[in-house]
């Protein structure tokens, strides 16, 4: 169900191709295929946030942060709430995107967004901006709490220039955001979010891909806007919609809070969107033409179209060597339960719910998950919401080991420097050896709750816990 709205011209096709420095982490998962693996070396294995050991700097964010930091060209961006107001004329419950200097954590500027009119349903109180930004060149892209896809100047107003075409910023001081363009998905596209607009944008070859957040009514379970798009591709230069897809339609189970992934499979570029109907959809990036779709509940028995669970796709798909890997789950407030981790053959076409199955780990072998996997050297690391980290053979699905992290996990594992980093909800960072034999190297306490994932750039770990953003490195 594609509607082509605007054709991309060759003159803008390279916007999203601007390569970030190899040592940066410019988007969710650090890369377009969303595989949480970094080439960084010399990373810390231990630290003490109270004593300051291996702590490069800390910065104050909001009182709750559900997004993750990105690092690009000397700046750190993070979405949060307004629990720690930095502007005297911007107080109360709002969504905030903050920008800090990577060097020392000094505050540079912020974007502030008001709440939607019905926050209990569409923009949950005190959650703030949950979208992890994406940085390409001198532009940062994010989804605001009030359902806007925003493109902003990475310098804010530090360059004393109001980049357009958008020029109606309510604040234009040195610490204010310089918005270049914004697409109001609620008012312009008819999207009705459930609880949050959370998708981390994906920017590739001049296009911004995003899950709109269109959702179901929280009390009745009915989708109020079934014809509103669930997936869109937008011109990165001007914010015009290139194509949109409404495949989940009236079958959306709850919200749509995930993010797309991009990869080249068997020589064919594709962008893979996780739908709120528990289906995974792969499209041609330029046209929005469907390549294949996969039912994330294909392991369940359905009677008269009713499945055993209301599991959906909250995790982000990972594209790796012609396969796609993703786990099913639910809103984390629903708790733990039976899930399924899929390995899918992405070279197929059409409905590949049966033909595309390579392997699966399901039910008691793998619980619900909202986490993205990490794959390196034939090993796949995946986390269950209930707090179990698994190390799995990426080719066969065989489990090598499993570890109880002693608390729920909302974030995802990251592989770097021969280690696996994963944070539980209590704020304990577990560090394992990257190996098919289990070896726990260290446990480091952040001394506050954490719902995120470690970001890695320039030999430094970036972690949000409680009201603080930490930069950690191994000091000589």
């Amino acid at each position: 169900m594609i509607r082509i709205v605007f054709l991309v011209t060759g003159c803008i096709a390279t916007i999203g191709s601007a390569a970030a420095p190899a040592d940066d982490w410019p988007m969710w998962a650090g890369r377009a295929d969303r595989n949480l693996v970094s080439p960084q070396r010399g990373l810390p294995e231990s630290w003490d946030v109270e004593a300051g050991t291996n702590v490069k700097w800390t910065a104050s964010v909001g009182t709750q942060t559900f997004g993750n930091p990105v690092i690009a060209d000397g700046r750190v961006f993070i979405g949060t709430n307004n629990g720690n107001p930095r502007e005297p004329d911007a107080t109360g419950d709002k969504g905030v995107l903050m920008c800090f200097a990577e060097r020392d954590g000094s505050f540079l500027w912020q974007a502030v967004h008001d709440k939607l009119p019905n926050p209990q349903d569409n923009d949950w109180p005190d959650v703030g901006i949950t979208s992890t930004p994406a940085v390409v060149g001198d532009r940062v892209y994010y989804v605001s709490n009030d359902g806007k896809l925003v493109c902003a100047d990475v310098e804010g107003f530090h360059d004393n220039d109001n980049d357009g075409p958008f020029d109606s910023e309510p604040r234009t001081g040195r610490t204010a955001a310089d918005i270049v363009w914004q697409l109001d998905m609620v008012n312009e596209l008819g999207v009705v979010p459930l609880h949050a607009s959370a998708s981390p944008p994906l920017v590739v070859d001049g296009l911004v891909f995003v899950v709109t957040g269109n959702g179901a009514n929280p009390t009745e379970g009915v989708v109020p806007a079934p014809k509103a798009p669930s997936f869109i591709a937008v011109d990165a230069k001007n914010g015009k919609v290139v194509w949109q897809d409404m495949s989940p339609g009236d079958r959306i189970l709850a919200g749509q809070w995930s993010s797309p992934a991009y990869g080249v499979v068997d020589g064919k570029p594709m962008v893979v969107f996780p739908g709120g109907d528990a289906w995974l959809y792969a499209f041609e990036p330029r046209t929005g033409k469907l390549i294949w779709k996969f039912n994330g509940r294909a392991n369940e028995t359905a009677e008269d179209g009713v499945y055993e669970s209301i599991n959906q796709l909250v995790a982000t798909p990972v594209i790796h060597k012609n396969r796609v890997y993703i786990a099913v789950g639910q809103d984390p407030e629903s708790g733990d339960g039976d899930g399924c981790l899929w390995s899918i053959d992405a070279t197929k076409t059409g409905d590949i719910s049966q033909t595309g199955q390579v392997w699966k780990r399901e039910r008691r072998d793998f619980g619900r998950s909202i986490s993205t996997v990490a794959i390196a050297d034939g090993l796949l690391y995946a986390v269950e919401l209930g707090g179990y980290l698994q190390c799995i053979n990426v080719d066969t699905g065989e489990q090598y080991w499993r570890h109880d992290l002693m608390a729920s996990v909302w974030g995802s594992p990251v592989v770097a420097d021969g280690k696996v980093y994963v944070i539980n909800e209590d704020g304990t960072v577990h560090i394992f050896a990257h190996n098919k034999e289990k070896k726990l190297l260290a446990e480091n306490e952040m001394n506050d709750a954490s719902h995120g994932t470690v970001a890695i750039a320039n030999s430094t770990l970036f972690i949000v816990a409680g009201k603080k953003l930490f930069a950690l490195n191994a000091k000589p």
Side-chain angles (χ1 to χ4, degrees), residues 115-135:
K115 303 291 283 185
L116 286 172
N118 188 8
Q120 290 288 341
D121 288 351
N122 310 128
D123 187 3
W124 196 256
D126 294 320
V127 165
I129 290 177
T130 59
S131 169
T132 299
V135 180

Side-chain angles (χ1 to χ4, degrees), residues 78-89:
I78 182 72
T80 186
N81 72 7
N82 199 40
N84 178 31
R86 291 180 179 270
E87 302 288 343
D89 61 340

Side-chain angles (χ1 to χ4, degrees), residues 336 361 365-367 380-392 399-409 413 420-424 428-433 435-445:
D336 196 13
R361 294 190 62 81
D365 287 335
F366 196 86
L380 179 149
Y381 299 94
V383 183
E384 302 168 53
L385 177 64
Y388 295 93
L389 172 65
Q390 294 196 27
C391 175
I392 297 165
Q399 181 191 98
Y400 288 128
W401 52 263
R402 185 172 186 253
H403 186 85
D404 186 353
L405 301 171
M406 305 305 293
S408 296
V409 176
V420 183
Y421 294 85
V422 62
I423 315 172
N424 69 18
T428 304
V429 183
H430 300 257
I431 306 175
F432 298 85
N435 198 288
K436 67 179 183 179
E437 301 293 333
K438 184 170 74 170
K439 183 179 181 181
L440 178 62
L441 300 175
E443 294 179 339
N444 296 282
E445 299 296 337

Side-chain angles (χ1 to χ4, degrees), residues 41-58 103 458-461 471-476:
R41 300 291 180 185
L43 300 172
E45 189 174 299
S46 63
W47 56 84
D48 188 322
V49 297
E50 292 294 333
T53 306
N54 285 338
V55 177
K56 183 178 180 181
W57 53 257
T58 64
R103 179 186 65 258
N458 305 302
S459 300
T460 303
L461 308 178
L472 311 168
N473 61 5
K475 297 179 181 178

Side-chain angles (χ1 to χ4, degrees), residues 64-88:
Q64 289 192 99
T65 300
F66 293 95
N68 295 289
V70 299
I71 304 93
D73 198 23
R75 300 178 184 88
V76 183
F77 300 88
I78 182 72
T80 186
N81 72 7
N82 199 40
N84 178 31
R86 291 180 179 270
E87 302 288 343

